[in-house]
Amino acid sequence: MPSSLRRRAAHLRASYTGETHPLATPGIARHDVGISYAGNGLGLDACTAQQRQLRALLALGLLNHGPTSAWPRHVSLADVTRYTLVVSPRYNDLVITTRAPYNVACWLVGRDKLPEIGVPGLRVESSHAEGWRLRHLPTGAALTVTRNRHGHLQGPVTLGSNYTRLWTTDVPLTAEEHAVLNALPPLCADTETLLAALTVRLCTHAPDGSWDIGTWFSNLTGRPSRAHSHHRRLSVEAGQCTLHWDSNPHPEDLYAALTDPVIGLPGTIGLGIRMSNERHRDGSVWWVIQLLNDEVSVPASAEPRTWAIPARAKLTRTWTSKQQAGGAGPVRGALKVAEEATAQGRWVRIHTLLHSRYDVDFEGNGTSEFVVDVFDAPIPLEHRGE
C-alpha cells in the first residue's frame, strides 16, 4: 500500500477507534497493495489464525458477566471494560492502551493466591516500565498492554512479572484452565471471526457521533443510557452467537459497528440478526440478539419473513423497514418501533432478511429489510437455560 494511502487509512481508522495515528498505522497492512482501504475493515480483522482464536476467547470472557454468565465467574473479564481503553488490533498482536495498565493486566492474567485466572493460558512474557508483553500459551498469540498512547513498550525488558506475581510463561496451564478451555463450545473459523470482531470493536464509535460501543459500559452519543447492572451473556451454539445484555451499547450501535461501510467486518453488510426483548428477574428489560453469518433470502412475491411466528402467538402488528418514515434509517426505525412496544410491556421480535427482486434464482439478490413483530403478549421472562 503506498505510504500516502496508508497514512490516510490510518487517520480514517483512528477516527473510529480512538487510536493515535502512530498507534493505528501498524495495523494497516503494507501487503494489501491494490486493495482499497474503505470497506475492508481498515485492518481490524486481518490477523493470524492464532490471533483470531485469542480474540474470540477474549470476547467470551469480556461479554459474560453476572448471574446468567455462560462462563465461570472466576474467568469473567468484564471488569476490564470499566477502564478507559483503546484497542489496536494488528496482524500478529493485539495492543491495548490504557491509563491503568497494571489494573487491566491483573484482570487478564492469573496470579498466585487469587481465585481469578484471567484469560485461560495467558501469561506475562516480558515486563517493561509502562506495560507488558503477554503471550497466550495455547495459541502462541501476543497481547500487549501499555500506558503509552502510541502502543510502545518503553524501558528495559525485565524477566517475568513486576507486579503482584502475575503468572509468567514458565507457569504451565493449570488443571482449572484446562477445564475451562475444554468446556468451550467448538468454534468454526466463521464464528471465531465474528467473536473476534466484537473484541476489536470494543471501543469503536462513529466519527459523526451516530453510534458508539463505549466498551459496553458507557454511552457517549448523548442518548439516554441503558445502564442497569451491566449483566451480559454471550453464548455459542451450533455456530450461532447469542448475546443478552441489559445496558450499553444500544442494540443499533452494535449492528452499526459490525456493518459500517468503513469500519465494519468485511462481508457483513448483510449481517443477519434476530433480536427480542425479555424481562430479567430484577424487572429490567434485556435485549437478546443472535448474530448470523448471513441473511436469509426470500423471493420477491413472498411474505417478508424468515423467523416463524411461534405457535399460539398472536400478532398485533408487523412493521417492515419499507414503512420507515423520515431520515431515521432502517435500523433506527426498527428499534424505534421495538422500543415503543417495549415501553407498553409488549413482546417484540426483530429479524433481518434479504428480500429479492426475483422469484427465481433469488438467493443473494435483493435488498436488506428489517421486520418487527409486536405480539399481544407481555415481555417474556428471561430464559436462563439458553
Side-chain angles (χ1 to χ4, degrees), residues 41-269:
L42 295 173
L44 266 68
D45 305 289
C47 65
T48 64
Q50 293 80 6
Q51 272 292 321
R52 185 186 69 224
Q53 292 162 12
L54 173 59
R55 296 172 189 184
L57 190 63
L58 282 166
L60 289 168
L62 293 166
L63 300 180
N64 274 295
H65 180 62
T68 63
S69 171
W71 264 36
R73 295 187 185 183
H74 61 287
V75 188
S76 176
L77 311 173
D79 282 299
V80 170
T81 63
R82 296 177 181 268
Y83 296 94
T84 301
L85 308 171
V86 173
V87 177
S88 180
R90 301 176 183 179
Y91 186 71
N92 58 0
D93 195 5
L94 183 65
V95 179
I96 298 175
T97 69
T98 172
R99 291 175 292 183
Y102 306 120
N103 304 56
V104 170
C106 286
W107 283 108
L108 294 174
V109 182
R111 55 192 188 268
D112 293 338
K113 299 180 180 179
L114 284 176
E116 290 81 8
I117 63 174
V119 179
L122 193 62
R123 299 291 188 265
V124 173
E125 183 174 80
S126 60
S127 299
H128 301 257
E130 293 191 333
W132 291 277
R133 173 64 48 78
L134 309 178
R135 185 72 58 180
H136 189 237
L137 298 184
T139 62
L143 192 155
T144 300
V145 181
T146 178
R147 179 183 285 113
N148 185 275
R149 295 176 60 245
H150 305 319
H152 303 310
L153 285 172
Q154 297 180 325
V157 175
T158 60
L159 295 177
S161 167
N162 59 3
Y163 189 74
T164 64
R165 300 186 67 186
L166 296 177
W167 290 342
T168 55
T169 51
D170 60 343
V171 178
L173 265 69
T174 66
E176 194 172 23
E177 289 177 308
H178 276 296
V180 172
L181 292 172
N182 290 337
L184 289 175
L187 303 177
C188 66
D190 285 346
T191 301
E192 287 179 349
T193 298
L194 189 53
L195 292 173
L198 295 172
T199 295
V200 300
R201 287 166 179 78
L202 193 69
C203 314
T204 51
H205 62 275
D208 64 2
S210 58
W211 59 265
D212 177 47
I213 300 302
T215 66
W216 289 74
F217 192 79
S218 58
N219 174 35
L220 304 178
T221 61
R223 286 174 289 157
S225 176
R226 298 183 64 245
H228 289 285
S229 302
H230 297 285
H231 291 161
R232 310 164 194 152
R233 175 183 168 89
L234 170 59
S235 58
V236 180
E237 186 176 353
Q240 180 176 284
C241 303
T242 303
L243 269 163
H244 304 62
W245 77 104
D246 70 342
S247 52
N248 295 310
H250 286 251
E252 65 266 37
D253 290 9
L254 177 61
Y255 184 84
L258 290 170
T259 62
D260 186 273
V262 174
I263 207 72
L265 175 64
T268 58
I269 298 302

Side-chain angles (χ1 to χ4, degrees), residues 325-384:
V331 183
R332 292 282 169 83
L335 265 295
K336 184 175 185 294
V337 173
E339 288 170 354
E340 288 174 351
T342 298
Q344 298 172 3
R346 301 276 188 177
W347 178 28
V348 179
R349 297 199 319 184
I350 305 173
H351 72 281
T352 59
L353 54 86
L354 193 65
H355 206 159
S356 179
R357 296 184 295 272
Y358 312 105
D359 280 324
V360 180
D361 295 329
F362 59 86
E363 293 287 344
N365 295 294
T367 304
S368 293
E369 290 186 19
F370 279 75
V371 179
V372 182
D373 289 325
V374 180
F375 295 95
D376 185 17
I379 300 171
L381 294 176
E382 172 196 8
H383 179 45
R384 298 188 64 173

